[in-house]
């Protein structure tokens, strides 16, 4: 036992010189999640929870069921809150945060020394056991010298993991909001197309009866039948789109079983009376975008890694081996034990590899991070401008359909009905005007949907978690129905 204690004292000496770093910040179960929750709550006014045990899981499940049963139809804010509480993919992202905290915690711990014990002269007649005991402890001095740099780099990576968890939270919230808007708009389109289908079926039936009396040519009958058939196909496609849109929302909410029978409103909210002012949206985005903060931390980590590489450019492995040798002998018939201490330093000789290649890679990694940060800053400004431009223009377009196109089409239909009652307009002209009115209503719904999607993209443009779609994507979405 005395030999082992002596060896421990000798080997611990360089460890004491290296100092100790506390990992209490990373060791708790919270693992920095409070920072994630605070940053996301300020951006979306919703609560995010990291489930880490069965009791928390049961409590959140009960809370989700309460939110689902609170209202007859699920509004957008409640849908976002349910997704944040119930989406299992988000919980997996939070587990990645825990991994980052554990990695940082591991870095704060000193490397364990290596111990070795050897025996010489086993079974010699004069000692009947052994002649020499050799013991050694080996500690990595270089790791102790660079411990502060390693911990700083690990802390930067941990802060990146926190921000990435926040980005995933914001992305889920934005995706859920967009999915809710798309699902509600799809239901509203189904209602409008069903009205158009009723008018088309009436026209087709009337055309068939007139054809039986000889009052309508077969070509005209075929046109009415073809229009009714095509509209039936469009209505079926719209019903399928509505079901798929709701399933997308259900996946984001993390619901299954009886809970999937929740209801959503059958029409989107009305357009706002005033437009939100975002004169400083570029500055707000540069100040608040979390992905831009991640890029800044990546540059910081690259700089720290560069410094660490420079510190270990010539010597990549430096170890101190401390040993103690106990030799037993006989002198004048008495047994005697002599202790001899030793210390060895081992390191690689940089004859062939002077570290230039590693330094070059570190330099390139730093420049790569710097350029990506500059690119991200440019893109953030552009995305913020595009999001607000889409918001303003979409509102103008939606108002145009609501205030001009739909009223004019409704007026044409109304006048057609009056002239039809006066025997001036025939039945098919009236049905044509009715179908055009329904088409205008569908376009108005799509324009209102595009506006609310643009409005939902404002927050991600300022805080992160998803970018707003480009003009081509918006145009494609508007031409679906």
């Amino acid at each position: 036992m005395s030999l082992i204690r002596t060896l421990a004292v000798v080997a611990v000496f360089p460890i004491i010189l290296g100092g100790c770093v506390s990992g209490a910040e990373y060791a708790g179960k919270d693992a920095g999640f409070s920072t994630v929750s605070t940053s996301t709550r300020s951006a979306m006014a919703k609560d995010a929870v990291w489930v880490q045990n069965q009791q928390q899981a049961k409590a959140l499940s009960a809370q989700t069921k309460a939110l689902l049963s609170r209202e007859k139809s699920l509004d957008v804010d409640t849908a976002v809150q349910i997704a944040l509480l119930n989406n299992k993919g988000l919980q997996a992202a939070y587990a990645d945060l825990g991994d980052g905290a554990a990695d940082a915690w591991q870095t704060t711990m000193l490397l364990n020394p290596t111990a070795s014990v050897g025996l010489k002269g086993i079974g010699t007649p004069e000692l009947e056991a052994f002649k020499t005991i050799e013991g050694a402890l080996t500690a990595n001095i270089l790791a102790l010298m660079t411990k502060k740099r390693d911990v700083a780099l690990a802390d930067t990576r941990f802060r990146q993991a926190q921000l990435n968890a926040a980005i995933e939270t914001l992305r889920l919230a934005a995706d859920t909001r967009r999915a809710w808007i798309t699902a509600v708009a799809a239901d509203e389109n189904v209602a409008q197309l069903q009205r158009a289908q009723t008018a088309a079926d009436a026209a087709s039936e009337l055309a068939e009866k007139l054809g039986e009396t000889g009052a309508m040519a077969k070509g005209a009958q075929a046109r009415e039948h073809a229009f009714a058939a095509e509209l039936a196909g469009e209505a079926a496609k719209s019903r399928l789109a509505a079901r798929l849109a709701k399933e997308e929302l259900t996946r984001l909410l993390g619901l299954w079983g009886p809970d999937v029978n929740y209801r959503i409103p059958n029409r989107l909210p009305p357009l706002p009376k005033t437009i939100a002012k975002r004169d400083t949206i570029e500055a707000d985005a540069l100040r608040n975008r979390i992905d831009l903060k991640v890029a800044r931390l990546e540059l910081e980590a690259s700089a720290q890694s560069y410094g660490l590489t420079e510190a270990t450019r010539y010597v990549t492995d430096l170890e101190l081996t401390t040993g103690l040798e106990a030799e037993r002998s006989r002198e004048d018939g008495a047994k005697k034990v002599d202790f001899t201490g030793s210390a060895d330093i081992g390191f690689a000789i940089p004859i062939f590899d002077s570290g230039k290649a590693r330094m070059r890679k570190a330099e390139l990694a730093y420049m790569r991070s710097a350029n990506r940060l500059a690119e991200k800053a440019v893109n953030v400004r552009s995305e913020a401008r595009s999001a607000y431009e889409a918001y303003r223009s979409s509102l103008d377009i939606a108002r145009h359909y609501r205030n001009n196109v739909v009223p004019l089409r409704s007026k044409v239909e109304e006048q057609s009905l009056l002239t039809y009652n006066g025997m001036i307009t025939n039945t098919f002209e009236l049905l044509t005007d009715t179908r055009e009115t329904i088409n205008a209503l569908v376009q108005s719904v799509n324009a209102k949907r595009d506006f609310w999607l643009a409005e939902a993209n404002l927050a991600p443009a300022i805080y992160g978690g998803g970018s707003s779609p480009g003009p081509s994507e918006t145009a494609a979405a508007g031409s679906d129905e």
Side-chain angles (χ1 to χ4, degrees), residues 252-268:
L252 293 172
L253 297 178
L255 300 177
W256 62 284
D259 292 336
V260 302
N261 296 322
Y262 66 93
R263 298 180 62 184
I264 57 176
N266 56 10
R267 61 185 305 147
L268 289 169

Side-chain angles (χ1 to χ4, degrees), residues 160 353 480:
Q160 278 186 306
D353 182 4
D480 288 343

Side-chain angles (χ1 to χ4, degrees), residues 21 46 151 155 211-212 217 277 286 337 415 421 464:
V21 182
K46 297 289 184 296
V151 172
D155 181 72
E212 292 174 355
K277 298 296 183 181
L286 288 175
V337 179
Q415 292 300 316
N421 292 334

Side-chain angles (χ1 to χ4, degrees), residues 21-53:
V21 182
S22 173
E25 180 183 356
Y26 318 112
K29 287 187 177 181
D30 178 81
F33 180 75
S34 56
T35 302
V36 177
S37 179
T38 301
S39 61
T40 54
R41 187 184 298 113
S42 62
M44 61 186 180
K46 297 289 184 296
D47 294 324
V49 180
W50 183 10
V51 180
Q52 300 191 56
N53 55 57

Side-chain angles (χ1 to χ4, degrees), residues 84 86 95 148 151 186 192 220 246 270 282 289 297 299 330 411 413 444 475 479:
L84 294 178
N86 201 53
K148 187 176 181 180
V151 172
Q192 299 295 348
K246 188 178 180 183
E282 288 185 51
R289 279 285 288 263
L297 285 177
L299 181 62
R330 290 181 179 273
K411 187 175 182 179
E413 182 185 13
S444 179
S479 62

Side-chain angles (χ1 to χ4, degrees), residues 452-471:
W452 286 116
L453 288 175
E455 194 270 344
N457 287 326
L458 281 179
I462 297 175
Y463 297 100
S467 58
S468 56

Side-chain angles (χ1 to χ4, degrees), residues 150-198:
D150 289 335
V151 172
L153 178 58
D155 181 72
T156 301
R157 293 300 185 191
F158 170 66
R159 285 184 285 142
Q160 278 186 306
Q162 286 181 309
L163 295 179
N164 285 329
I167 288 175
E168 290 302 317
T169 304
L170 295 177
R171 179 176 292 115
L172 176 62
D175 289 346
T176 303
R177 189 173 294 272
R178 286 190 286 259
W180 184 92
I181 293 169
T182 302
V184 174
D187 274 356
E188 193 170 352
N189 269 332
V190 168
Q192 299 295 348
L193 287 173
Q194 285 177 343
R195 288 183 56 194
Q197 183 66 47
T198 301

Side-chain angles (χ1 to χ4, degrees), residues 64-326:
T64 298
K65 292 183 181 298
L67 289 173
L68 286 171
S69 61
R70 188 175 63 184
E71 299 177 0
K72 293 183 178 180
S73 59
L74 192 65
D75 61 58
V76 63
D77 290 326
T78 304
V80 171
Q81 184 61 78
I82 290 175
L84 294 178
L85 298 177
N86 201 53
N87 187 281
K88 300 303 182 287
L90 184 61
Q91 295 299 319
Y94 292 160
D96 292 339
L97 171 62
D99 285 343
D103 290 339
W105 184 15
Q106 182 68 47
T107 307
T108 63
M109 300 179 185
L110 298 173
L111 295 178
N112 294 325
T114 302
S116 61
V117 178
L119 305 176
K120 290 184 178 180
I122 298 177
T124 56
E126 62 273 16
L127 295 181
E128 301 177 354
F130 54 85
K131 183 177 182 181
T132 304
I133 301 177
E134 292 180 345
L137 287 178
T138 303
N140 192 328
I141 298 179
L142 188 62
L144 297 173
M145 295 171 58
T146 59
K147 172 60 67 174
K148 187 176 181 180
R149 293 175 184 266
D150 289 335
V151 172
L153 178 58
D155 181 72
T156 301
R157 293 300 185 191
F158 170 66
R159 285 184 285 142
Q160 278 186 306
Q162 286 181 309
L163 295 179
N164 285 329
I167 288 175
E168 290 302 317
T169 304
L170 295 177
R171 179 176 292 115
L172 176 62
D175 289 346
T176 303
R177 189 173 294 272
R178 286 190 286 259
W180 184 92
I181 293 169
T182 302
V184 174
D187 274 356
E188 193 170 352
N189 269 332
V190 168
Q192 299 295 348
L193 287 173
Q194 285 177 343
R195 288 183 56 194
Q197 183 66 47
T198 301
D201 290 341
S204 178
E205 184 179 354
L206 180 59
E208 184 177 359
K209 291 182 178 180
L210 291 176
E212 292 174 355
T213 63
M216 189 174 191
K218 291 184 178 180
Q221 294 180 55
R223 280 191 294 271
E224 293 300 329
H225 297 329
F227 178 79
E230 291 170 357
L231 195 54
E234 291 298 321
K237 287 170 58 179
S238 71
R239 289 190 293 271
L240 173 60
R243 290 194 296 271
L244 295 179
K246 188 178 180 183
E247 284 298 334
E248 173 65 19
L249 177 60
T250 301
R251 286 194 293 270
L252 293 172
L253 297 178
L255 300 177
W256 62 284
D259 292 336
V260 302
N261 296 322
Y262 66 93
R263 298 180 62 184
I264 57 176
N266 56 10
R267 61 185 305 147
L268 289 169
L271 297 175
K273 296 181 180 180
T274 59
I275 192 169
K277 298 296 183 181
R278 291 289 187 272
D279 297 332
T280 60
I281 191 170
E282 288 185 51
D284 293 341
L286 288 175
R287 182 172 58 255
N288 297 311
R289 279 285 288 263
I290 297 180
D291 51 347
L292 188 59
K293 295 178 182 179
V294 172
R296 291 194 187 103
L297 285 177
E298 182 62 33
L299 181 62
E300 180 181 337
S302 297
Q304 292 169 339
S305 180
Y306 179 84
L308 185 61
T309 303
E310 187 176 26
T312 59
R313 174 179 177 180
Y314 296 105
V315 180
T316 59
D317 191 15
L318 181 62
E319 291 185 341
L320 171 65
T321 302
T322 59
L324 189 65
E325 180 179 294

